[in-house]
Each structure stands twice: as C-alpha cells, then as structure tokens.
C-alpha cells in the first residue's frame, strides 16, 4: 500500500505550525527512512499516518482511499516504539498473540501465525520467556512480530534502535531489513541516525523544520563522485 500526506498542515497550537502544506509519499512495498534532527517533525508525521493526529488541512491517502477522518482503529497499522512497550506480565508467545486474540482470530490460525512470526524474527526458541529475560534487541523483535501480527497495511518504526548498544543495533537493523523484505510491508522508519537510514532504506526523506530538504536513495543523497 502507498501512503501519502498531501498538502497537510498541522499545528499543535496557534503559535506552532509544525507542518505547512506538507506533501510526501511512501511508495508501496518500500522501506523509507524519515531522517531529521530532534524537533524537525518526524513524530508528528508518524502520528498523522497512525491516525493519532488529525491535520487541520490536507489529506492522508492510503492508496487512493482518503483516510484523513478515519481514526487509528480504522487503519491497519503496526507500530514499534523506542521503548519496547511489551506487556511485562505476558510471555513472548502471549505478547505476539495479544493483537490476534483482540481480533478474535481462532486458536489454530493464531498458533500458526505466531509460529510464522516467531520464525520471521528468529525467536522461535524464546516463546515461553518473559520480556525481562530477553535482551533489548530481542524485545524489539517481539515488538516487531506483534506489530506485524495482523498483516498491517503500513508499518511505522519510531526510533526502534535508540535504546540499544552498537552490537544489538546492528543485529536489529538486519532483522528489520530482512523482515521488511520478506513481508513486503510498506514501512516508515523514523530515525535521527544517518548511518541507520543509509544502511536500511530504499529511499530517505530528509526533514528539517517541518520541510523535506531532500528525497532520494542513499546513493543520491550522500555519494558524490
Ligand atoms: P521530532 O519527532 O522530529 O523530534 P516532533 O514531531 O516531535 O519532532 O516535533 C516537531 C515540533 O512540534 C517541535 O517543535 C515540537 O516541540 C513540537 N511539538 C511536538 N509535540 C507537541 C505538542 N504535543 N504540543 C506542542 N508542540 C509540540
Ligand atoms: P489460550 O487458550 O489462552 O488462547 P493458547 O492455547 O494459545 O492460549 O496457549 C495456552 C498457553 O500455552 C498460553 O498461555 C501460552 O503462554 C502457552 N504457549 C502456547 N504455545 C506456546 C509455545 N509455542 N511456546 C511457549 N508457550 C506456549
């Protein structure tokens, strides 16, 4: 699915307009990095796509469908946040099962999906553990599996690596890349880290002060002859 913000304006209050006539597209099946410094508007864009904020002008389109006035419950979106946000009292298995149970997916189908997802994020042997027994990177893989459980139209990753040390960052970045390739889910990866964006993204959108400075492949943006 292609996700588009078209001429979007978003103000938190009368004095702060974060986005003004802002347009961007995340092409279907791509992993796009939204790269920019703190305060540039990355979370605002993510929350607009998630349906957690409504623009004061402009439209949000999922393919041809105008979803501007649909709230988050009516958009099939997977999200992974900076801090794992797993249910601490549930096992890995039950964390991944949770959205499927909420959607009343039947037990057999649920078990099959959980097995697929665990395999995808390479945690098949950790299903009985609790989040506190896992590394930060493993916890983020659980969060990723849970976010993908219902075959979301759009996957939103909000600085998913920033609580991890270097080795685990590298490992999780690889898993995210492989999972995105395997599922083909349209993905927006929000980061302030240029290296991460260059390593993982099909396209990079470079944001500053609520405006796109550049959009291109890593090669377009950073490799000069
Ligand atoms: P980023 O994710 O790139 O750090 P944000 O989208 O969080 O940027 O913030 C963009 C701008 O909007 C910043 O100037 C920030 O201070 C402001 N902002 C974000 N959230 C709110 C809010 N709830 N109320 C008022 N201003 C906000
Ligand atoms: P429910 O009947 O409550 O929906 P399930 O039948 O899916 O739950 O599973 C029963 C319990 O067994 C769950 O609480 C889950 O923690 C555990 N469980 C199921 N499959 C696995 C697995 N592959 N690895 C570890 N624990 C599992």
């Amino acid at each position: 699915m292609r996700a588009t913000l078209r001429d979007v304006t978003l103000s938190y209050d009368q004095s702060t307009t974060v986005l003004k006539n802002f347009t961007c597209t995340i092409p279907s099946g791509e992993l796009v990095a939204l790269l920019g410094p703190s305060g540039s508007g990355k979370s605002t864009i993510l929350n607009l796509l998630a349906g957690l904020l409504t623009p004061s002008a402009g439209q949000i389109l999922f393919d041809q469908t105008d979803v501007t006035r649909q709230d988050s419950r009516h958009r099939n979106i997977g999200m992974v946040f900076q801090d794992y946000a797993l249910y601490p009292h549930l096992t890995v298995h039950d964390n991944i099962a949770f959205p499927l149970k909420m959607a009343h997916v039947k037990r057999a189908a649920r078990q099959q999906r959980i097995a697929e997802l665990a395999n995808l994020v390479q945690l098949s042997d950790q299903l009985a553990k609790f989040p506190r027994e896992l590394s930060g990177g493993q916890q983020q893989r659980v969060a990723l599996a849970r976010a993908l459980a219902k075959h979301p139209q759009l996957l939103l990753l909000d600085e998913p690596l920033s609580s991890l040390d270097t080795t685990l960052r590298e490992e999780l970045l690889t898993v995210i890349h492989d999972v995105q390739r395997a599922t083909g889910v349209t993905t927006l990866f929000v980061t302030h880290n240029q290296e991460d964006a260059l390593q993982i993204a099909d396209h990079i959108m470079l944001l500053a002060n609520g405006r796109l400075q550049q959009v291109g492949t890593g090669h377009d943006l950073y490799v000069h002859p």
Side-chain angles (χ1 to χ4, degrees):
M1 186 207 71
R2 182 181 71 244
T4 306
L5 301 192
R6 186 194 281 163
D7 296 326
V8 163
T9 296
L10 189 286
S11 311
Y12 286 105
D13 52 55
Q14 285 173 344
S15 58
T16 46
T17 298
V18 178
L19 301 175
K20 197 169 176 206
N21 299 325
F22 182 89
T23 296
C24 74
T25 296
I26 308 158
S28 182
E30 283 203 5
L31 196 170
V32 173
L34 179 59
L35 176 65
S38 181
S40 58
K42 302 185 298 297
S43 299
T44 302
I45 292 168
L46 191 117
N47 286 327
L48 284 162
L49 288 165
L52 301 170
L53 284 175
T54 306
S56 48
Q59 295 169 307
I60 299 166
L61 304 170
F62 285 3
D63 286 331
Q64 264 70 264
T65 308
D66 187 338
V67 298
T68 314
R69 308 281 147 200
Q70 286 181 4
D71 71 22
S72 56
R73 284 164 303 172
H74 298 97
R75 302 184 195 180
N76 186 3
I77 292 193
M79 289 185 78
V80 177
F81 304 97
Q82 179 170 342
D83 303 307
Y84 323 118
L86 299 175
Y87 307 112
H89 58 292
L90 297 182
T91 61
V92 169
H93 176 280
D94 290 357
N95 265 281
I96 301 173
F98 192 82
L100 299 170
K101 286 191 177 182
M102 297 307 283
H104 305 292
V105 175
K106 295 247 170 23
R107 187 166 178 274
R110 201 166 69 223
Q111 294 300 16
Q112 191 187 336
R113 184 69 183 138
I114 293 165
E116 276 171 17
L117 290 160
N119 184 46
L120 200 60
V121 300
Q122 300 165 35
L123 285 175
S124 300
D125 53 352
Q126 309 288 324
L127 283 169
K129 291 200 173 157
F130 285 90
R132 65 172 177 278
E133 302 177 272
L134 303 179
S135 73
Q138 288 174 321
Q139 290 187 46
Q140 282 301 57
R141 278 145 61 187
V142 178
L144 181 62
R146 187 179 59 183
L148 291 168
K150 291 197 287 176
H151 299 281
Q153 298 170 282
L154 181 63
L155 179 64
L156 301 174
L157 308 174
D158 192 0
E159 304 266 8
L161 308 171
S162 47
S163 301
L164 306 177
D165 67 32
T166 314
T167 319
L168 292 179
R169 292 174 68 90
E170 201 58 36
E171 176 195 290
L172 183 62
L173 205 54
T174 305
V175 171
I176 290 171
H177 180 266
D178 293 351
V179 165
Q180 198 279 332
R181 280 293 174 272
T183 58
V185 63
T186 305
T187 301
L188 185 66
F189 179 92
V190 169
T191 181
H192 61 266
N193 186 307
Q194 177 179 311
E195 302 302 319
D196 292 347
L198 283 170
Q199 189 172 330
I200 200 172
D202 295 308
H203 283 97
I204 298 172
M205 304 193 296
L206 192 60
L207 190 72
N209 296 316
R211 289 176 193 280
L212 284 184
Q213 307 299 310
Q214 280 182 297
V215 181
T217 63
H219 186 271
D220 295 338
L221 266 53
Y222 292 103
V223 178
H224 303 290

